[in-house]
Amino acid sequence: MQEAQPLDRLFLALADPGRRGMVEQLSRGPATVKELAGPANMRLPSALKHLKVLEDGGMVVSRKVGRTRTYAMRPQALAPMRAWMREREAALNAAFDRLAQAMAAMPEEDER
Amino acid sequence: MQEAQPLDRLFLALADPGRRGMVEQLSRGPATVKELAGPANMRLPSALKHLKVLEDGGMVVSRKVGRTRTYAMRPQALAPMRAWMREREAALNAAFDRLAQAMAAMPEEDER
């Protein structure tokens, strides 16, 4: 269960449309709290709470210079999710291949 | 916000390690409730509750034959997540390219 935790936090972080919007914005480049709160009409304390979830989940990093805190996506932020998804898709494809092979091996009846 | 809901439900469904285990199992092929509850030592009512979340989220379908309900992954179950992830990765790559171009355009100082 221990190694499941990063994926738990990653998926939970992305289940909220407000946080997803922040990740979409940060994918295009770093932004300040104010810039991140703006598009969603979010209040600053609420934006900071969402950003804390993203930071705790290892998706973003932040740096305070003077009075301004700027957030940036971590380049490998989505890597665990991508790896998990690829494993599932590979398994699904293999399952479909087995089904197709089983169908091909079935004796054919005459068409009516 | 309306179109965000499928992703909300998808990510929320996958944020639970028990449900993620079920998706991992179903990616390898259809399974009954009993087969899905077994590996996680889950009780049947708890397993059915998790499976309902996956079914409501559009990830799995089920069919009852006699007294046995069997679940299967929908082939396109992960497609919305894959599409969302690819858009973010494309944006991230474009942002890094812009950074690299900006760096290349900076005047160089003599090395020390």
Side-chain angles (χ1 to χ4, degrees):
Chain A
M1 225 58 143
Q2 203 62 17
E3 63 273 46
Q5 283 189 3
L7 277 176
D8 288 6
R9 288 199 292 188
L10 195 53
F11 283 125
L12 199 60
L14 295 175
D16 180 273
R19 283 196 294 267
R20 226 162 40 238
M22 289 171 154
V23 170
E24 289 166 14
Q25 192 177 344
L26 288 172
S27 299
R28 297 189 294 268
T32 63
V33 183
K34 226 175 184 174
E35 291 167 338
L36 287 160
N41 261 327
M42 223 181 256
R43 296 179 59 195
L44 288 190
S46 173
L48 280 167
K49 221 156 96 181
H50 283 310
L51 286 163
K52 185 171 160 37
V53 175
L54 293 176
E55 198 162 14
D56 289 349
M59 300 189 71
V60 307
V61 288
S62 74
R63 196 180 174 82
K64 196 168 187 174
V65 177
R67 297 184 59 183
T68 307
R69 186 171 284 278
T70 300
Y71 287 82
M73 276 284 273
R74 291 184 55 202
Q76 291 302 309
L78 302 175
M81 185 172 126
R82 192 203 304 120
W84 186 86
M85 205 187 63
R86 286 200 178 157
E87 284 168 31
R88 301 296 76 71
E89 292 186 325
L92 269 172
N93 287 339
F96 279 112
D97 282 347
R98 283 194 302 275
L99 184 64
Q101 280 169 11
M103 276 182 68
M106 281 164 69
E108 284 202 10
E109 281 182 37
D110 289 337
E111 314 245 357
R112 285 157 205 254
Chain B
M1 225 59 145
Q2 203 62 16
E3 63 273 45
Q5 284 189 4
L7 278 176
D8 288 6
R9 288 199 292 188
L10 195 53
F11 284 125
L12 199 60
L14 295 174
D16 180 273
R19 284 196 293 268
R20 226 161 41 237
M22 288 172 156
V23 169
E24 288 165 15
Q25 192 176 343
L26 288 172
S27 299
R28 297 189 293 269
T32 64
V33 183
K34 226 174 184 172
E35 290 167 340
L36 288 160
N41 262 327
M42 222 182 258
R43 296 179 60 195
L44 289 191
S46 173
L48 280 166
K49 220 156 98 182
H50 282 310
L51 286 163
K52 186 172 161 33
V53 175
L54 293 176
E55 199 162 13
D56 290 349
M59 300 191 70
V60 308
V61 288
S62 74
R63 196 179 174 84
K64 196 168 188 176
V65 177
R67 296 185 59 183
T68 307
R69 187 173 282 279
T70 300
Y71 287 80
M73 277 283 273
R74 290 184 56 202
Q76 291 302 309
L78 302 175
M81 184 172 125
R82 192 202 306 118
W84 185 85
M85 205 187 62
R86 287 200 178 157
E87 283 168 34
R88 299 298 77 69
E89 293 186 325
L92 269 172
N93 288 339
F96 278 112
D97 282 348
R98 282 195 302 276
L99 183 64
Q101 278 168 12
M103 276 183 68
M106 281 164 70
E108 282 201 13
E109 279 181 38
D110 288 338
E111 314 245 357
R112 286 156 205 256

